[in-house]
Amino acid sequence: MVTAVTSLAELSASGAPLTIAGREFRSRLMVGTGKYASTALMRDAIAASGAEVVTVAVRRVDLDRSNDESILAHLDTSRYFLLANTAGCYSVADACRYARIARAAGFNEWVKLEVIADEATLLPDPVGVVEATRALAAEGFQVLAYTNDDLITALRLEDAGAAGVMPLASPIGSGLGLLNPYAIRTIKHRLSVPVIVDAGVGTASDACVTMEQGVDGVLMNTGIAAAQDPVRMATAMRHAVDAGREAFLAGRMPRREVAVPSSPRAGMLG
Amino acid sequence: MTPSKTQGPTAERERAAAGFAGRPDTAAGPVEITVNGKRRTMADAATIGDLLRELDLDHRMIVVEHNGQILRHDVSAPAHVLHMGDVVELVHFVGGG
C-alpha cells in the first residue's frame, strides 16, 4: 500500500500541514472518486495521489440494480477523510438537504458545498452558495464552498461562515487549467480561511502553477480519473502539488524583460 | 403515530407525481408509498426496518429520509411506521468530485 507520506523527505516537501477548521491534513491534494473505469483503478489512483481528503456524492440507492454498491465498499474510511459534496444541486434548499443527508451518514460535519447555476458551464450560483453557506454554518457544518474565481463572492463566503473557500481554476471537468492566476492570488491574499482551488486542473503543470499562487490546496477529480493512466497521473499530481507549494514558499525570482548571463562576463579569452 | 404529511417541496412533488395527491389515509390494509421515486406497496403497519429488509438493504450504510425528515442511521430509524402516501428516499454515497 502506498501511504500518504512515505518518507521524511516527502514530509518536508509538503511543509507544514494544511489546517482547516482546526483539523490538520498531511496532503494538500484532495481528490474525487467519480468517473473511474473501475473501483480498483480508483483505489490505486487515490492511494498514489497521497490524498487524505476524498470527495463523494450523495445519490439515491439504485433499487433496480442488486450490485449497486456504495462507494464506501471500496474506500477505507479509517484512512481517508470523506468530504461529501452537493454536486448536482441547483437550489439552496436542495444543497442544504443533500448536506444534511450526508451528515446523517455519521462520518463528519463537513460538506463541499456546490450550488450550481448553469448546466452548460456548471458555474456556481454566487448568491445561492453564500446563502447556503450561512444556513449550514449556523447548523454547525464545516462548509467548504465551491465558488467562482471572484474575490467579492469569496469574501462574502468567509463572512457567511465558510471554513474554507474553493474557487475554480476553470469549469468542472474542463481540464482548462488555471485561467485567472491573478484572481486566485488575490483571493488567497485577502481571505483568512484556507483557499482550496477546485475544478479545472487538467495536468500536473496546472496543479503546480495553481499551488505556486500560494493557495492552501487543490482538489481535482477528472484530471486524474480521465487520464490515460490515472495511477501515474495521480503520482504526477502529488509531485506537482508538492513542487508548486515548495516553489511558492521558496519565492520565485523576479521576471525580467532582458537576459542576464549566469556565467561571468569577465575572464573571457583574448 | 406521526401523520403522513409530506414535508418540503421535493416530497410534495414526488407524492403528486406518484399519484398520491389528495388520497386520504386509510385506517388499515396495505399502504402505498413512494421509495426513491417509485411506488411500492407495503403491509399495514410496516416500518422503515421492514422496507429495508425487503430491499435487502438492512445491512447497508444508507441514510433514510422519511417524508422529508432525515432519520439518523441508528436504532430509531427502522422503527418508523409507514403510512399511505409516504415518501421515502434511500440514499448513499457514490463516486463524485
Side-chain angles (χ1 to χ4, degrees):
Chain A
M1 259 196 186
V2 181
T3 53
V5 175
T6 55
S7 69
L8 284 175
E10 263 184 74
L11 191 63
S12 77
S14 58
L18 165 62
T19 304
I20 307 174
R23 190 186 173 99
E24 288 189 356
F25 300 101
R26 295 180 303 274
S27 175
R28 291 176 182 274
L29 173 57
M30 304 180 180
V31 297
T33 53
K35 298 187 187 172
Y36 283 96
S38 72
T39 49
L41 197 55
M42 177 201 76
R43 250 192 333 250
D44 291 348
I46 292 174
S49 77
E52 191 176 355
V53 176
V54 298
T55 60
V56 292
V58 174
R59 291 292 181 273
R60 278 176 168 167
V61 176
D62 185 350
L63 301 177
D64 296 330
R65 288 173 54 203
S66 55
N67 64 345
D68 177 47
E69 284 185 313
S70 161
I71 193 80
L72 300 187
H74 309 283
L75 279 176
D76 179 355
T77 53
S78 67
R79 177 176 169 188
Y80 297 112
F81 185 85
L82 290 186
L83 180 59
N85 69 30
T86 62
C89 293
Y90 282 78
S91 71
V92 172
D94 277 349
C96 290
R97 181 188 184 199
Y98 278 56
R100 291 170 190 137
I101 288 172
R103 177 162 70 173
F107 289 97
N108 55 56
E109 307 223 317
W110 293 48
V111 63
K112 194 196 110 175
L113 180 65
E114 296 185 30
V115 182
I116 302 300
D118 176 57
E119 283 189 31
T121 60
L122 295 178
L123 285 174
D125 174 348
V127 178
V129 77
V130 170
E131 191 183 326
T133 295
R134 185 167 285 117
L136 292 172
E139 292 176 26
F141 280 89
Q142 302 296 347
V143 179
L144 301 182
Y146 173 65
T147 178
N148 219 319
D149 58 0
D150 175 67
L151 171 64
I152 308 307
T153 309
L155 288 167
R156 296 276 190 276
L157 287 168
E158 182 174 81
D159 181 63
V165 173
M166 294 187 145
L168 53 76
S170 49
I172 295 168
S174 71
L176 289 173
L178 185 61
L179 296 182
N180 195 338
Y182 161 78
I184 295 298
R185 259 197 322 277
T186 308
I187 289 171
K188 174 56 198 166
H189 183 66
R190 291 287 297 278
L191 265 62
S192 304
V193 296
V195 175
I196 314 292
V197 170
D198 175 16
V201 169
T203 186
S205 55
D206 296 338
C208 193
V209 169
T210 301
M211 289 303 295
E212 285 175 3
Q213 309 312 311
V215 297
D216 300 280
V218 179
L219 195 160
M220 63 183 75
N221 186 344
T222 314
I224 294 174
Q228 296 293 309
D229 181 343
V231 178
R232 180 164 272 185
M233 185 58 88
T235 307
M237 291 297 188
R238 173 164 59 93
H239 291 308
V241 166
D242 281 347
R245 179 67 182 168
E246 286 294 282
F248 167 73
L249 293 173
R252 62 153 297 146
M253 62 163 281
R255 286 187 167 83
R256 293 192 187 99
E257 294 289 324
V258 293
V260 179
S262 301
S263 307
R265 289 181 194 277
M268 299 301 289
L269 305 187
Chain B
M1 300 276 272
T2 52
S4 66
K5 290 281 196 311
T6 54
Q7 295 171 6
T10 308
E12 286 291 356
R13 222 167 34 236
E14 302 239 325
R15 194 176 146 100
F20 288 126
R23 299 250 324 244
D25 283 4
T26 51
V31 290
E32 288 188 19
I33 61 171
T34 304
V35 183
N36 286 9
K38 290 183 178 154
R39 289 180 74 152
R40 185 176 187 91
T41 304
M42 300 292 296
D44 179 40
T47 62
I48 293 284
D50 295 331
L51 173 66
L52 295 179
R53 271 187 293 281
E54 278 187 19
L55 293 168
D56 198 23
L57 291 170
D58 49 330
H59 297 299
R60 288 265 302 271
M61 172 59 235
I62 60 168
V63 175
V64 179
E65 192 193 60
H66 182 200
N67 293 336
Q69 181 194 354
I70 298 163
L71 308 182
R72 289 264 170 193
H73 194 77
D74 57 23
V75 287
S76 72
H80 281 243
V81 176
L82 295 161
H83 297 85
M84 182 67 87
D86 279 6
V87 176
V88 177
E89 293 285 349
L90 304 175
V91 184
H92 64 170
F93 289 139
V94 300

